[in-house]
Amino acid sequence: MDNQVSLVAEDYYKKGKGINVDLTKINVARELGLNAAVSSAGDTILIKFQKGQLPHYPALTATFTHRTLPDRDFEKLLTADAKGTYRLTLDHDVQGPWFVELQPHDQAWMVQGRVTFPTETDVVLLD
């Protein structure tokens, strides 16, 4: 074999194992009544955040992990407008299946889910 096999599957598996460890953070998010809906329009991703029992809309670290292309993974710090909408404008359109994680600075909770882009309809992260 001249070509090396990509370790994407192994990395994705490790990420999946980490997700299981983070179930307590997801449970905290559920107890606080937190959730988010994700949609996209061209090169813009919209995240409508439901802040539940939080006193304000926090700054969020949004991590986007592509299922099969690890070189496309990225993380952004986002702030909300007055209605709780977070906007992320990229220099390219986002395509295909992504795993999205949203966490506050202290990482006390997490809202996560799978989104296939592009999607003009809202995809709820915690079902």
Side-chain angles (χ1 to χ4, degrees):
M1 293 180 106
D2 291 334
N3 299 325
Q4 288 187 346
V5 175
S6 172
L7 297 178
V8 171
E10 180 180 328
D11 290 343
Y12 195 67
Y13 173 74
K14 287 179 184 175
K15 183 75 172 167
K17 285 178 68 176
I19 290 164
N20 290 333
V21 171
D22 290 332
L23 285 177
T24 55
K25 292 181 183 181
I26 294 166
N27 289 336
V28 170
R30 285 192 171 120
E31 289 171 11
L32 292 171
L34 309 179
N35 207 340
V38 179
S39 62
S40 64
D43 62 354
T44 301
I45 297 173
L46 299 174
I47 300 170
K48 297 174 189 168
F49 188 70
Q50 297 172 10
K51 68 180 181 81
Q53 298 174 26
L54 298 177
H56 57 82
Y57 293 103
L60 296 177
T61 299
T63 304
F64 291 78
T65 306
H66 194 278
R67 192 173 75 194
T68 59
L69 302 170
D71 60 317
R72 294 190 182 175
D73 296 354
F74 62 96
E75 182 175 285
K76 297 288 182 181
L77 180 63
L78 304 174
T79 56
D81 63 17
K83 295 181 181 179
T85 301
Y86 297 76
R87 284 180 176 75
L88 173 60
T89 302
L90 303 170
D91 58 1
H92 59 283
D93 289 353
V94 179
Q95 301 282 328
W98 291 82
F99 190 78
V100 180
E101 294 178 354
L102 305 174
Q103 294 189 77
H105 179 69
D106 66 2
Q107 299 182 348
W109 50 263
M110 179 190 309
V111 174
Q112 66 176 14
R114 289 181 179 83
V115 180
T116 300
F117 292 105
T119 178
E120 292 182 9
T121 58
D122 289 344
V123 176
V124 178
L125 295 185
L126 284 181
D127 283 331

